[in-house]
Structure formats: structure tokens, C-alpha cells
Amino acid sequence: MFSALLLVLAAVELTATQPPADELLNDEMFAAAVAELEQSPRVQTQVIGETHEGRPVVMIIVAEPGVIADLDAHRARAQRIANPSIRRRSLAAIDIRGRNADVLLDGAKLPVMVAGASWGNEASQVEGIVDAARTLAFEDSEEVRHALSGAIALLIPLMNPDGRARAIQEWQQTPLSNGDSGIGNAYGFLLNRDFMHGTQPEARAVIDATLEWRPVALIDQHEDRYNLGVQLAQVCFVEPFEPGFDIEEHAMTRAAVTRVGRAIAERWSDLGFNCLFDEQGDRQFAPLPEPGQGINPVASSAGRLNLLGTTHGIASFITESARTPGSQSWEDRVKQKSSSVIAALLAVSGDPGFFARSVIERRLEEVRAGEGRFVVVPEAGQSREAIERLLSVMKLHRISVFRVTAPYPALVVPLAQAEANAVRHFLLGERSRLNELPPALGLTIRDSEKLPAAEREVFLRAVLSRVESGASETVITDPALPRVAVYSGQGVPRQESGEIVWAFERGGFPVSRLNQDDFSLEGFKVLVMPNGSAAVIRDGWNDDRASLGPWQLPSQPRGLGDAGLKRIREFVNAGGVYIGIGGGARFAADGYLALTDVVMPAAAPGLGQVGIRPVASESSLLAGFPRGKPIPAFQYAPPGVEPYGYVFGRSDAAIAVYDGARDYPPEMSFTSTQVLSPQAGHAAIVHERRGRGHVVLFGIAPAFRGQWSSTFRLLYNAARIGN
């Protein structure tokens, strides 16, 4: 069906959708393009960060020559537009003053940010943004003069250089493959899920640049591989605001998003592109499921760059271009990306007062709405490491944090600050459960609205000292710890294995990746099988072209096969530790490894926060966790992923059972919570002996996106269980 529909809508030859890999901008060619742009008096370039593999993340700034010569002043003005004047003597004594918009707008050039290629396998964003930069840097047309008359272009063509390099390498072998090996960064982390917690250097670089410059509009460029030009006739998509989809629903931000989105849609229509755009919030591109029937797309993507922007009061949204082979030409893909940059600048330069005032008024409103409310993070009895991680995220997001000594030593985060919306998002979980920091870090917080009146009064009058720190992360490998192998072959998405490798490295474990072509367990004490498809892990990728459409496989299907399964059984029986997570847990059951007798119901309830209740009080798996208390955890069990391994039947081998889900209806992150209820009694963690070895199964995601560090310890305990 997929292929037939594609053939009906196909507009170009399959190979015309993207040029050969050697013609795409690689490291050297991109550096040359940047050097060429630097010859223009309208351009300044900055290296805003560096990847794990040492590649620079580059921002290209294009503006009138006089503006380029005085960028610091314009950046400072952008900060004043975004941040009301706040003088604070205590939580109760605060002086809030709005900014004079007319003064700030006199001669102002407003920053507009356009970024692309957070997914390294989406190619045309890089060429498209570079093409727009050339137009702005060197052309002397009336349109370019108007575009720069009231705006500064902040262009980040390539947020994920490591992923881009990996995708180009894949395309050299299989030109029509999806480039999936380059979706994530060097570890496999999906950067466009990391722009809130900022666990990765590329994400931190972009977050820092965004909040340093405070653009009035932020466009996150993407490409689509399933819908546009295939299931939908349109070949490009631009958002207005999508009611019921995004977590940001402030009227001022909605209006600004719609205005820029409309400008891009009109530009694309003028160029002859069939564009999907609806000012009332068209949901054809990402339709919302009926309650209980599926997951709102935001539930699995709440770390996106555009959500970072809207959380901080920036008019932010995505654009999409079809990239399925046959859907449209490479030239059209590049033109869509390039023209969207020009259209956004023209929209802002055409009415800078509207965009600046929408920011000024909204931010002032949020500060005043937060007066008298604050969040308390008690310091006694809490992990210092977790508190430092909290502080580092607060600092990254420009959230003001103070320390008090009375009524007890604590950190306090007032909501009467410009980043009040971010405080609600990160600390109170009012906007999204996926990015809520306290459970992810294992910290206890207290909302001032729930404090006893007398205690609240002491806090309101306490002496405040500003906290600026947030310890930098260090990773030290301890060779005395057991050596860990993490499977990263066919059937296991690279991001799933990447977060496990990340967690073990942070714990000091010597850790290596293995795949189906390099599967020797010699010298390892622990094998981790991350979440994935048990069938594909065993048999290799499915070569059914009817389901793949025109995409090529990046290599021949090859799984572990019977020989690999036998090797794992021998490894465990000889004393090794097998850790299975989700689909990796299912791989341990009948039909595959047959290392467990635990029944696994066919359930994939969704994703989000859950509670797990220990039932094996003496288990070393629970070392470091308070006895008798439920443990906050995260479950990543998306419907449609089979075989299942997310809930386990009642068993004497259960270490912890599910104690319910923290459901959040606006995200619809769970399609059903019944299987996670205490009454259902399903196990979340299981430990069994097999021969001289151990089998540990997790239904939860103990290292979800590298964010849930509070449950890293469960992995560490499991790895040490045989020592």
C-alpha cells in the first residue's frame, strides 16, 4: 500500500531527491563555505560548541555591516527586550518594572534564529541555510536590504556534525537509504529530544546561543520521510500554532508563530510548492489520536528545539520538507529551506514592534503572575550530585536560584522571574511530565503553595544569596568494575544503546558496544540488550520492500542468529550477567534466549513517569534506594513496537512491581494505565539465576535519554550483581 501510494504521488526520479553523498557538504566543504561567507562585511561566524568527535558547531551571523561591528550592543538590547527589570531584597520584597518598548525599538535589529540538521540524516537543511546565508551576505537586492533592515540572522546550518558525517558515510554505500545511522550524535542521542535537559554538548551549545541572543523568532528546520509527498499530497509543511499539540499555548506567542508561519507559507506558495498550512491549526501532518488510542506526538518529543523556544517565550516552530525518494527534487528541498529563512526575516523586519512587544508584554505578565510563589529544594538528605545537576540545568536555562539558611538550608527558585514558565516546566511539571527534573534526578521539592503558613512566611523574609554554580561533569573509568558490553546491532536503535553506554560511563564502568558482526563476549562480565525488536535482533532487518517503500537498507539484513543466541546462553550459564531492557527483556524469553520463565503480557502502555514499588527488601539491586518507598522511574513503551517486554507477570523473581503511572492527559503519554496499576500487580524489574549467572529484566527505561540519572543506579547494581 505504501509503495503504491508513493508511485501515485511520485514527482521525480528516486535518485533526483538527493545528490550523491560526495556532493553533499562534508566537514571540509562546510568549512570552506563558512570561510567564503566570512569575506562579507555583513557576516561574523562563531563556534558555539564542539561535538564529542571534535567537530565545531558553527553559528553564522548576518546583518548590516554597522550591526556586525557592534553585535554586543544588539545582543544586550535583545536581552533587555526579553527580561523585565527585577530588584529582589527577599522573596516578599521585589520591585518589578517593565521595559520601555519605544526606547528599546529605536534603531533595534531583532535577532531571528534558524537552525537545522539536529537529525544528521536530514540533508537539505545544511545546504539550504548556507544558501540563504550567501544570499544575505553577498546580494544587494531590495529584498535583502529589507530583510536585514530590522533583523539579525542567526543561522546554525548544522547542529549535529557528527551525525551528518555518519549519514554521509552510509549514503556512500547505499545512496537511497534513510541515513538512520546519522540520526543521533556520536553516542546516538537524538539532539532534538535534548534541548531541554541539555545532556549533550551540541544541545548545550544551541541552548546557550538561543538564550544568549533571545531571538524573537526561532525556526527549527526538519525533513519528513513518511507523510509529505507520500501519504499527503503536500510536499512541505509549516506550522502556525497547533492547538492541542504543543505544550506552549500563550496567545502572544501563538500570534507571533502564526505571523511568521504565514509568511513562509505564502513564500512557498509563490514559488509553486504545494504547502500544508492552516492558521487555525491544521493537524494533517501530525494528527492527534483519539484519547486512549495513541500517543500525542509531543509525548515522545518534548525535548525539541521549538519547545525550548516556546518554553522561554520565543515564537518557535518547525518546517518540514518531503525527502522520501521520489517525493520532490533536491533543488526544491534546498529552495524551501533557503526561502523560509528570507521569509522569516522579512516578516520580522516588516513589523519589529509587534514581535518585540509580544515578548516584552508576555514576559512581564509571567513575572507578575509568579509573585509570592516559589519552589523549595531542601539540601539536607539529598544527593549532592543530583543538586549540582539541577543547578547546572537551571544555569543553562538562565533560571535564577537562591540559597537560604532559614527555616532550614535550601535552594529556592522564585516564580517571580522572567523564566517563570521554564520553572513551571522543569520543577512543577505543569507543562510536561517528560522534562520534569525532580523525579528524573531523584530530588524532593516543595511547592510554596503547599507549605504550612508559618514556614512559608519565614521563606518569604529569608536572606537570599544567589547561586551560580552547577558542577561540571567528569567521567572517570574504574577498571575494577565489571566490564560491560552493550549490544548496538540491528534491531537496537542507536539512541537506545547510546543512552545505556552514556549511563555506564558516568558510573565509571569500562563499557564497549558490540554488534552482530563483532559479537565476542570474551573478557566481559555483563551483556546489556537495550530496548529494540527481539525478532530483528535475532534475524536482522526485515527486507520487505512493501513496508519500506523506496528506501534502501543501509546494509544486508543480519542478526545474531542461532550461533549468537547460543553464545549468550553459554555466557550466562558460565557466570555472566544478562541485562534486558524492554525489547531486550523480551529477547530473554521463550522463542529467543529462553533464559526466563517470566510471562510477558502483550502490553505497550506508552511512555511517561511511573512508580515502582520494591517487593524484595534484601535485593542488592535496590541498594541505595530508600527502603519501603516507591521509586520514581520512566517507562518508554510506545504502542506498535513488537515484541513487547515492558510489563512482566506476577513472579517470585520480581524485585519491584508497578505502583501506577503519573498520567498527564494533555500529552496523552499513556494509551492505558491499567496494566501499570498496583492492582494489576505486574512486575517492573525481575532477577533470576541461570546456571552460575544472572538475568535481570527491566520493563522501565533506567537511563531514559541520559536524563533519568536517578535510576542509573539500578543499572549499576544489576551489573555488579555477580561480583
Side-chain angles (χ1 to χ4, degrees), residues 421-542:
N421 194 41
V423 175
R424 295 177 184 276
H425 186 97
F426 283 113
L427 297 183
L428 298 176
E430 292 181 3
R431 309 301 293 174
S432 170
R433 293 294 189 202
L434 270 75
N435 290 317
E436 195 177 2
L437 278 166
L441 300 177
L443 291 171
T444 298
I445 66 164
R446 305 185 72 189
D447 184 345
S448 63
E449 293 190 340
K450 299 176 182 178
L451 292 174
E455 184 177 328
R456 184 173 183 275
E457 285 302 311
V458 176
F459 272 114
L460 285 170
R461 287 164 177 72
V463 175
L464 303 176
S465 60
R466 186 178 289 273
V467 180
E468 300 287 356
S469 67
S472 59
E473 183 182 53
T474 58
V475 179
I476 301 173
T477 299
D478 182 354
L481 289 170
R483 193 168 168 225
V484 177
V486 178
Y487 190 70
S488 188
Q490 293 182 20
V492 174
R494 188 171 176 80
Q495 62 267 26
E496 297 282 353
S497 61
E499 65 191 32
I500 301 300
V501 171
W502 177 264
F504 274 114
E505 284 186 353
R506 269 71 205 153
F509 288 78
V511 58
S512 302
R513 292 181 191 257
L514 299 180
N515 61 35
Q516 68 281 345
D517 299 318
D518 179 24
F519 191 66
S520 171
L521 296 173
E522 185 175 352
F524 292 102
K525 181 64 177 176
V526 182
L527 171 64
V528 182
M529 190 61 72
N531 190 24
S533 168
V536 177
I537 293 168
R538 181 187 63 193
D539 302 327
W541 285 315
N542 184 351

Side-chain angles (χ1 to χ4, degrees), residues 9 30 106 133 160 256 326 331 346 349 411 416 434 492 495 497 503 514 534 537 557 575 583 608 642 698:
L9 298 177
F30 180 72
D106 185 18
N160 184 5
E331 289 75 18
L346 288 169
S349 289
L411 304 176
L434 270 75
V492 174
Q495 62 267 26
S497 61
L514 299 180
I537 293 168
E642 203 282 326
F698 289 101

